[in-house]
């Protein structure tokens, strides 16, 4: 009887570890302590920290050591923090798409749910985005080129910076001018004026 219970516990722990690895695999090897608790494989993770197969990436965030470091790790790490419910947006999305030279000081995320971490690094906007406004960038999500342009037109970047963003988006063929114009019908009058001005000089 005790042996059966031990077998079930081991089987459950192994299953939890497989689930955790699948979650981590979606976000370049990153996972959170909350996910560890949900999968019930804390002892396996502690052992991994001891033997080096798991590393600490930040407060409440860990990583499978087998994943190589990459230039987009920070985006993947925060995607893991929000259980995949975060989308890179605004200036950070423009930088990823190669639009303009905004050089954002913060990592901009649009998040529909989840508790943001205590860090000055993130600029978090609470909102839900339609599926058509989001695309996959591998281990994280990013707003589409058109949605990125619309977000910046609605924001507070200067007109010259917006002009550069729109010009780049059109020049590298990530957005067609007509596509931006059609999407602009959803904007406020102020944002629409800014965007149409940017298109006029693109």
């Amino acid at each position: 009887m005790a042996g059966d219970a031990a077998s079930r516990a081991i089987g459950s722990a192994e299953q939890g570890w497989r689930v955790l690895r699948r979650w981590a695999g979606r976000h370049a090897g990153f996972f959170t302590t909350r996910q560890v608790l949900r999968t019930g494989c804390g002892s396996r993770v502690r052992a991994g920290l001891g033997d080096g197969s798991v590393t600490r990436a930040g407060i409440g965030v860990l990583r499978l050591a087998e994943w190589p470091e990459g230039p987009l790790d920070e985006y993947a790490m925060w995607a893991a923090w929000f259980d995949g419910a975060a989308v890179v947006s605004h200036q950070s999305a423009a930088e990823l798409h190669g639009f303009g030279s905004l050089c954002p000081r913060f990592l901009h995320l649009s998040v529909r749910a989840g508790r943001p971490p205590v860090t000055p690094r993130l600029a978090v906007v609470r909102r839900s985005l339609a599926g058509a406004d989001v695309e996959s960038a591998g281990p994280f999500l990013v707003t589409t080129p058109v949605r990125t342009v619309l977000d910046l037109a609605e924001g507070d970047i200067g007109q010259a910076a917006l002009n550069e963003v729109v010009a780049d988006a059109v020049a590298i063929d990530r957005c067609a001018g007509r596509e931006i114009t059609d999407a602009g019908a959803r904007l406020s009058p102020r944002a629409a004026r800014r965007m149409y001005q940017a298109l006029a000089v693109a």
Side-chain angles (χ1 to χ4, degrees):
M1 196 73 114
D4 289 345
S7 295
R8 283 196 300 274
I10 291 170
S12 177
E14 286 302 314
Q15 181 180 0
W17 177 242
R18 286 194 297 271
V19 169
L20 186 65
R21 286 183 60 84
R22 277 199 303 274
W23 280 349
R26 294 176 192 154
H27 304 296
F30 292 101
F31 58 97
T32 68
T33 52
R34 295 190 310 277
Q35 292 166 341
V36 172
L37 291 173
R38 288 204 297 264
T39 54
C41 55
S43 59
R44 183 70 178 265
V45 171
R46 284 191 295 275
L49 286 167
D51 65 25
S53 61
V54 173
T55 61
R56 294 190 187 281
I59 296 174
V61 184
L62 304 110
R63 194 180 197 189
L64 300 175
E66 66 204 58
W67 284 82
E69 291 186 8
L72 303 179
D73 281 352
E74 187 178 16
Y75 300 100
M77 181 182 75
W78 293 122
W81 175 274
F82 286 102
D83 290 325
V87 181
V88 179
S89 62
H90 297 83
Q91 287 94 322
S92 297
E95 183 177 51
L96 285 172
H97 289 308
F99 301 165
S101 52
L102 300 175
C103 302
R105 293 186 299 124
F106 306 104
L107 197 161
H108 298 81
L109 294 176
S110 291
V111 177
R112 66 178 181 268
R115 177 179 55 85
V118 179
T119 172
R121 174 67 179 134
L122 296 183
V124 176
V125 176
R126 292 281 185 187
R127 63 175 178 165
S128 291
L129 289 164
D133 288 332
V134 174
E135 63 186 31
S136 172
F140 58 91
L141 300 173
V142 61
T143 50
T144 62
V146 171
R147 180 71 259 173
T148 301
V149 169
L150 299 183
D151 286 342
L152 294 176
E154 291 174 322
D156 57 4
I157 68 169
Q159 186 64 46
L162 181 61
N163 294 353
E164 185 181 7
V165 165
V166 172
D168 285 350
V170 173
I172 64 177
D173 204 26
R174 294 303 311 276
C175 301
R178 181 66 187 176
E179 189 180 12
I180 297 173
T181 301
D182 290 346
R186 309 195 303 259
L187 294 176
S188 68
R190 170 191 170 273
R193 280 195 304 273
R194 279 165 47 81
M195 196 186 64
Y196 295 142
Q197 184 178 338
L199 275 172
V201 297

